Amino acid sequence: MDILISGAGVAGLSAAVDLGARGHRVTLVERSSHFRVNGSPIDVRGDAIAVAENMGLLAKIRDRQLRMTENSVFVDAGGTVLAALPLAETSDSDDDIEIAREDLATVLAEALPADATVRFRDSVAALADDGAGVDVRFASGDTGRFDLVIGADGLHSAVRRLSFGPESGFVKHLGVYAAIADLPAEAGSGGPNPTYNFPGHMASIMRYRDRALAVFLFRSDPIEYDYHDLDAQRKVLADAFAGHDEWRIPELIAAAMADPELYFDSSSQIHMPSWHRGRVVLVGDAAHAASGLSGRGTSLALLGTSFLTEELDEDDLEAGFERYEARQRPYVRAAQAGVADGADLVVPATREDIAARNARLQTTLGRRTSS
Ligand SMILES: Cc1cc2nc3c(=O)[nH]c(=O)nc-3n(C[C@H](O)[C@H](O)[C@H](O)COP(=O)(O)OP(=O)(O)OC[C@H]3O[C@@H](n4cnc5c(N)ncnc54)[C@H](O)[C@@H]3O)c2cc1C
């Protein structure tokens, strides 16, 4: 089949690798000018590890495994360590593989089929499914006809909007925003990864290998801004931390303002009754974002694209899509339900909640510093 995949994140790239391996011709269209390989390290966990193995990529992923999260501590405004993040509260098992998002994306991009086409700086502007194929008009003005269109374009999916309706009908805001920026001044500095909280806010330094990131979370009701506008994102972030000069907040915010690849988004979920319509089907965050608080978005993306590929049936698309959804839904339900208290751990709402969290986790710190 001739398949168009909108979005070249983990879901889009893994779909292209899986489908290409089965002999389909894939075209990827990516809004950015390059593969967006930034972001904080993520986890490949549970059954997604077997998916990576089936793709022949597990050894490469293991080669790049990190142990960043187990080095995380909570500090006060003066930088004194108060508590440590217990691994048991962030991972499912010792088998979880923590890997830099850029490393996973690179491993997947290197595995793309040789005949795959990638259209950077473009996106789907219009779709017309006539039952026998889908006519696509791109934002660039180019057109094409495909047997299948896969929406792998993330939380704010254009394919979902065009085929299923506005995002507002499917999105569930979890009351938290997240930002991640490069922190070159701390690159290669080593040491534990400190997290500082003030009520409803978190600022953190995450170091791995020779890199360092500034990571922010803050609680907020939904904020109106253009999520394609980097300056608008910068302003929302700066406003959320304005007036806070304690700990290292000013230098971390300055790094975020300077980073042209700043990642900023809401922690939101997507809930849809169906992920397919005619010859259009959704995968990854576009279909079922669980939010960064779940720690499972990447694994869900790998699982879903493998199920879709295995179940794809050219002679009966509808039946194949139904089987894909039936296999994927239990994983999505568990991941989306699992975020219930994720924010309470890393971004407690009140001063009392911060103190209670630190008191609860002091025992972890004691065990870690005495070992
Ligand atoms: C830059 C970046 C950094 C991230 N960092 C983290 C992180 O640190 N922690 C975490 O838990 N999750 C992070 N995420 C989200 C995480 O990658 C996903 O939850 C998970 O991997 C599922 O991936 P996905 O491919 O479905 O969606 P995404 O990873 O969101 O990928 C979607 C892709 O589609 C592209 N795209 C968007 N709209 C269009 C369009 N209209 N046309 C064409 N292309 C489009 C995007 O540029 C992106 O490449 C990040 C996502 C991005 C894009």
Side-chain angles (χ1 to χ4, degrees), residues 5-14 29-32 34-43 101 104 119 122-124 151-159 161 180 213 215 228 261-265 283-302:
I5 302 170
S6 172
V10 171
L13 288 170
S14 60
V29 55
E30 165 60 49
R31 201 165 57 83
S32 182
H34 52 277
F35 293 124
R36 296 203 66 198
V37 295
N38 53 324
S40 66
I42 40 81
D43 287 312
R101 194 174 174 279
L104 182 60
R119 303 174 64 100
D122 209 353
S123 61
V124 174
D153 37 8
L155 180 62
H156 307 295
S157 169
V159 170
R161 175 172 41 79
I180 301 165
L213 303 173
V215 179
H228 292 318
E261 294 278 337
L262 172 71
Y263 169 75
F264 180 85
D265 214 331
V283 293
D285 280 6
H288 49 59
S291 96
L293 293 171
S294 78
R296 284 174 171 73
T298 302
S299 295
L300 285 181
L302 291 170

Side-chain angles (χ1 to χ4, degrees), residues 181-202:
D182 198 24
L183 190 60
E186 281 290 320
S189 59
N193 294 318
T195 289
Y196 169 69
N197 289 108
F198 64 91
H201 294 67
M202 182 206 93

Side-chain angles (χ1 to χ4, degrees), residues 137-187:
R137 184 167 49 79
F138 294 98
S140 59
D142 292 350
T143 56
R145 183 170 172 83
F146 299 90
D147 300 311
L148 178 66
V149 173
I150 298 179
D153 37 8
L155 180 62
H156 307 295
S157 169
V159 170
R160 187 184 60 228
R161 175 172 41 79
L162 292 168
S163 295
F164 298 82
E167 185 173 312
S168 56
F170 308 112
V171 74
K172 178 182 174 192
H173 180 58
L174 299 184
V176 174
Y177 283 83
I180 301 165
D182 198 24
L183 190 60
E186 281 290 320

Side-chain angles (χ1 to χ4, degrees), residues 30-78:
E30 165 60 49
R31 201 165 57 83
S32 182
S33 59
H34 52 277
F35 293 124
R36 296 203 66 198
V37 295
N38 53 324
S40 66
I42 40 81
D43 287 312
V44 179
R45 48 176 43 164
D47 292 348
I49 296 175
V51 169
E53 183 157 34
N54 290 339
M55 292 170 87
L57 301 179
L58 187 57
K60 286 187 176 176
I61 290 173
R62 280 204 195 288
D63 280 351
R64 293 159 173 80
Q65 181 164 6
L66 299 172
R67 301 208 177 274
M68 185 194 75
T69 305
E70 63 190 43
N71 207 14
S72 298
V73 294
F74 296 107
V75 299
D76 66 13

